[in-house]
Amino acid sequence: MDKEKEFEEIYKKYSKDIYSYLLFLSLSKEEAEDILQDVFIKFWKLFDRLKNLENIKAYLLKMARNRLIDLKRRERNLKFVELNEEIFDFKIEDHAEKIKKKEFVKKIMENLEEEEREIIILRFYENLKFREISEILSVNENTLRVKYLKILEKIRKYVYNYNYEEQKS
């Protein structure tokens, strides 16, 4: 297979995941598209050296994350703002139920710190393994596992309190 076809296959396989990840981090569609384009342009330039990577998806996600951090630093705004609602796409027929679930997930995510939110996004929405997430975030894998368990406990408490408040009403 020639270089262009290999690159095209990689783009088709991973571009949607990278784009979704960027949307999760509250970027507008335009910003996410710009970063996605930057990532794949850089990947194309390095393609001969990188095409045999063991984990291309993790490498591309890390490139996207680094590009996002650069962009936010330039804007002097390192904190990610509101969650992008487009990412919560549930396969539910009942529109009212879909809206209710979107709002609930959004509330949970907003109660997490930036790093916690990113770990949950990479683990659940990108289906990455701890090893891959640790590479992307440059965090020791064991440290990441401990953080992950603490995040799950935080989410459990929020869900419990939310359900408890609803039952009291």
Side-chain angles (χ1 to χ4, degrees):
M1 188 181 298
D2 70 339
K3 179 180 176 179
E4 289 175 6
K5 284 199 185 290
E6 281 182 72
F7 179 81
E8 188 177 328
E9 289 299 314
I10 290 170
Y11 181 85
K12 285 179 184 176
K13 188 172 183 179
Y14 300 116
S15 62
K16 186 177 179 185
D17 291 339
I18 307 300
Y19 181 72
S20 296
Y21 170 70
L22 291 166
L23 284 178
F24 261 115
L25 298 176
S26 3
L27 292 176
S28 67
K29 285 182 177 183
E30 294 78 23
E31 288 176 311
E33 289 168 0
D34 287 347
I35 291 176
L36 180 69
Q37 183 178 5
D38 290 347
V39 164
F40 277 98
I41 288 171
K42 186 174 182 179
F43 186 72
W44 173 255
K45 290 176 182 175
L46 302 170
F47 188 70
D48 290 329
R49 287 185 276 162
L50 300 177
K51 69 179 179 181
N52 294 321
L53 280 174
E54 185 178 316
N55 192 337
I56 292 174
K57 181 178 180 179
Y59 188 84
L60 290 169
L61 284 166
K62 187 166 188 164
M63 285 175 71
R65 182 177 192 270
N66 289 341
R67 180 69 182 102
L68 172 62
I69 290 169
D70 290 345
L71 179 72
K72 293 296 178 184
R73 278 190 185 134
R74 258 190 256 126
E75 293 176 358
R76 302 266 189 247
N77 181 10
L78 290 175
K79 198 164 184 156
F80 299 123
V81 286
E82 286 184 24
L83 287 167
N84 188 326
E85 290 188 36
E86 296 170 30
I87 47 130
F88 304 119
D89 184 26
F90 296 101
K91 308 291 185 237
I92 300 171
E93 295 297 321
D94 180 13
H95 187 68
E97 183 69 18
K98 187 175 186 176
I99 290 171
K100 189 176 175 181
K101 286 192 179 201
K102 273 185 175 185
E103 286 303 312
F104 183 64
V105 171
K106 185 178 178 189
K107 283 179 186 175
I108 290 172
M109 295 296 278
E110 286 173 346
N111 279 291
L112 298 177
E113 293 176 18
E114 183 180 317
E115 181 184 49
E116 294 171 332
R117 195 180 315 153
E118 193 167 8
I119 290 168
I120 293 300
I121 291 165
L122 291 169
R123 182 77 174 139
F124 287 104
Y125 290 94
E126 297 297 335
N127 296 313
L128 296 180
K129 296 178 175 125
F130 287 107
R131 181 181 45 78
E132 297 167 320
I133 298 169
S134 71
E135 289 173 25
I136 293 167
L137 301 180
S138 300
V139 174
N140 176 286
E141 188 175 340
N142 291 331
T143 303
L144 178 68
R145 287 177 186 276
V146 171
K147 285 182 179 189
Y148 176 73
L149 291 174
K150 287 179 180 178
I151 296 166
L152 290 182
E153 184 58 32
K154 189 175 186 177
I155 291 171
R156 264 189 225 105
K157 284 179 183 175
Y158 180 81
V159 170
Y160 174 78
N161 290 335
Y162 182 85
N163 288 333
Y164 179 75
E165 290 300 318
E166 271 196 353
Q167 288 174 2
K168 276 181 33 180
S169 303

